Amino acid sequence: MGGVFQIITGIVIGGAGFDQIGTHPVQAVCALFLAGFLIMIGLEKKLSGHSR
């Protein structure tokens, strides 16, 4: 379950980052990096079978 939660959280944070990219570019880029890491870690957990 942890992998799926991280993927969904990454998608939500990524969406917020894309929404703010015009007004707050530094915060938006940080949010996009965080979203990318969360999605990658979540996918790794899901594919390796560590998610329960």
Side-chain angles (χ1 to χ4, degrees):
M1 183 76 171
V4 175
F5 180 72
Q6 285 179 328
I7 294 169
I8 292 172
T9 304
I11 292 171
V12 169
I13 292 173
F18 275 119
D19 185 53
Q20 293 294 317
I21 204 154
T23 56
H24 305 288
V26 175
Q27 292 175 355
V29 168
C30 290
L32 292 174
F33 278 127
L34 176 63
F37 284 123
L38 284 172
I39 291 171
M40 286 189 307
I41 292 169
L43 284 173
E44 190 271 332
K45 281 185 179 180
K46 188 68 177 165
L47 293 176
S48 68
H50 287 88
S51 180
R52 294 181 189 188

